[in-house]
Amino acid sequence: MQKADIQSLEEAFQERIDKEIKIEPRDWMPEAYRKNLIRQISQHAHSEVVGMLPEKNWLTRAPTLKRKMALLAKIQDEGGHGLYLYSAAETLGISREEMVQQLLTEKAKYASIFNYPALNWADMGVIGWLVDGAAIVNQVALQRTSYGPYSRAMIRICKEESFHQRQGYDICLQLARGSKAQQDMLQDAIDRWWWPVLMMFGPHDSESAHSADSMKWKIKRVSNDNLRQKFVDQTVPQANFLGMNIPDPELKWNEERGHYDFGEIDWEEFWQVVKGKGPCNKERLAVRNQAHKNGSWVRDAAVAYANKYN
Amino acid sequence: MENNLYLYLLQLGDNALILGQRLCEWTGVAAELEIDLALSNIALDLLGQSNQWYEYAAEIKGENSSPDTLAFFREAHEFRNVQLVELPNGNFADTIIRSVIFDTFHQLLYEELTRSSDARIGSIAARAIKEINYHIRYSRNWTLRLGDGTQESHKKAQNALGRIWDYAFEALTPGPIDRWAFKNGIGPDLDALRPVWLNRMEKLFEQATLEIPAPGFIDRKGKSEGIHTEHLGYILAEMQSLQRTHPGLEW
């Protein structure tokens, strides 16, 4: 294709984006847009799948049958989200197998939050309330993302996520109203998850490598810092209602801005975890790799059987 | 009389709970995402069934008992599940062979329970049988794929059958409570179900190119006397840990 042709295609593409017309799998798109989306959607799918692990850790120890069933249903939803997101990414011309290989070989990332351990039962509440809460703030913004299949997946996923968040908050509420030991569990979980959750929104806008293109193409609709602020503003009153403390001495309401001010994230920790040096990075990947390896004979059997009889 | 009904409900509830708990161990680590979701789904059905049996059992027992006190505050010897469901997940073939043996029994049992003289048992079974019909389809299909798939999968499935078969008969062998249930029109005659079950197993394993081993020690007394394998203690230690550490709280 001539350079001039590409330029006119790019202009037409940007015009569609600017007019809020969704881009669909068969439409022409710039290679960088495609790559950026594959990166983002597959990362999102991997996050759902790896995100099953910290919760799975408490599934067999959930303290009541109802909590066990709710937690299992939630983890199952996450697996389901992983499936639709892989399918959405496949519309961009990459196979699920390739994406899984990228995860297993550390070529693709997943949300760093899942590199933190789930250490007590209250973590199941706090993951639902804060981690899913932060994910929803991100995902609500993504419902309007410019790529059709991704946008539709997000609309579906958001409905289930808000249910998960309510379930998580309900666990927290029960613990907050419970014994001293239960309240201590809850505070311990909040203390450990608060800062990593704020990190989920990514680097400051000024430092974010993928942000400019993503905003121009409306893959991303709201900046990292704005989303983070929104999350803090909505979450602080929920923590107050629980009677729990947020581990940030600088956190206070700023009347003039109409927002909460909050302390600076430990960016050194953020980058360490992104680079694979978080508390559970190696463990999570090892579990995924082991599961994949243990499953290879099962997948082979299914293929061999299908070839024999279909 | 009521005590017998209570023990019968525990047999039903404990089988579902313990197998559900075992299947939960696969969540997040199965061979494919689809398998993960299916096993979780089956586990969820079983946990739901156990909860319903326990609700009924707790009403009979009274004394502030609830599904959770039954699940979380009984000792291993008070559990009335068959030993089969306690067996470790092992590899996927072990899990599938354990499931297909159990599901074949479970389907036959619940079909009969839908006609129970106890209306509440009948209605719980009627809801559950729809789920169980899906479980058996799943475990049968995988038994065929593994048995008749690759050499490796065949070998693993055959080994699994060799290890697990001795545990298959307990469910189909009537204990005193099963006899009481049959006499009162509450549950089926297991002596009559056993040949039907065995016939289905033989046909399935033949189709899956698997050989049923000669039975070894089959006189297992999990459901009738609460004599379990060594595995159950560990299952309960894990499952009950929070409730046992902090008794009497709401979660």
Side-chain angles (χ1 to χ4, degrees), chain B residues 74-85:
Chain B
R74 277 181 302 143
E75 304 288 328
H77 68 88
E78 296 171 289
F79 273 74
R80 295 289 158 160
N81 56 283
V82 294
Q83 292 186 359
L84 174 70
V85 296

Side-chain angles (χ1 to χ4, degrees), chain A residues 49 52-53 56-70 72-73 75-80 82-83 86 96-97 121 170-171 174-175 178-179 181-182 185 287-288 291-292 294-302 304-305 308-309, chain B residues 17 21 24-38 40-44 47-48 50-51 54-55 67-68 71-72 91-93 141-142 144-146 148-150 152-153 156 207 235 238-243 246 249-251:
Chain A
V49 172
M52 295 164 81
L53 298 176
K56 173 240 168 54
N57 182 37
W58 279 90
L59 189 51
T60 50
R61 289 178 290 170
T64 71
L65 291 174
K66 292 223 164 84
R67 294 289 188 207
K68 191 192 289 287
M69 288 190 272
L72 180 52
I75 299 172
Q76 203 188 14
D77 284 346
E78 284 156 4
L83 279 182
Y86 283 127
R96 183 164 133 198
E97 183 55 29
W121 170 250
D170 186 67
I171 293 176
Q174 189 70 57
L175 295 172
S179 71
Q182 287 174 313
M185 264 180 213
V287 170
R288 284 312 317 154
H292 193 75
N294 289 346
S296 74
W297 68 271
V298 177
R299 295 187 296 272
D300 291 347
Y305 187 82
K308 243 186 254 188
Y309 294 101
Chain B
L17 174 63
Q21 174 78 2
C24 280
E25 294 170 19
W26 274 110
T27 300
V29 295
E32 277 287 11
L33 210 38
E34 286 82 352
I35 298 176
D36 217 296
L37 295 178
S40 298
N41 204 35
I42 294 168
L44 199 52
L47 295 172
S50 72
N51 192 52
Y54 289 157
E55 276 173 4
D68 287 332
F72 296 97
N91 62 40
F92 186 62
N141 284 340
W142 270 111
L144 294 171
R145 285 189 199 111
L146 297 182
D148 195 13
T150 62
E152 187 182 5
S153 70
K156 287 194 157 83
Q207 199 190 338
I235 295 174
E238 183 176 11
M239 185 177 80
Q240 299 178 335
S241 58
L242 264 174
Q243 285 278 8
H246 306 277
L249 302 182
E250 295 291 320
W251 296 91

Side-chain angles (χ1 to χ4, degrees), chain B residues 13-26:
Chain B
D14 291 347
N15 277 341
L17 174 63
I18 300 300
L19 186 57
Q21 174 78 2
R22 274 296 191 213
L23 290 176
C24 280
E25 294 170 19
W26 274 110

Side-chain angles (χ1 to χ4, degrees), chain A residues 259-273:
Chain A
H259 292 293
Y260 282 93
D261 290 336
F262 53 97
E264 191 60 31
I265 285 170
D266 179 350
W267 294 108
E268 176 59 22
E269 177 180 328
F270 172 87
W271 289 113
Q272 287 296 317
V273 182

Side-chain angles (χ1 to χ4, degrees), chain B residues 173-234:
Chain B
T173 307
I177 298 298
D178 298 309
R179 290 207 184 86
W180 166 85
F182 175 50
K183 215 166 70 188
N184 289 280
I186 288 170
D189 177 9
L190 292 182
D191 284 324
L193 289 191
R194 188 173 161 125
V196 183
W197 167 82
L198 190 59
N199 182 263
R200 288 188 188 178
M201 296 276 71
E202 284 168 352
K203 275 195 185 146
L204 171 68
F205 289 132
E206 191 189 336
Q207 199 190 338
T209 73
L210 296 171
E211 211 174 303
I212 295 181
F217 181 80
I218 61 167
D219 186 19
R220 303 198 175 263
K221 294 192 162 73
K223 69 170 177 181
S224 57
E225 294 179 25
I227 298 172
H228 291 280
T229 65
E230 291 175 342
H231 305 297
L232 185 64
Y234 289 95

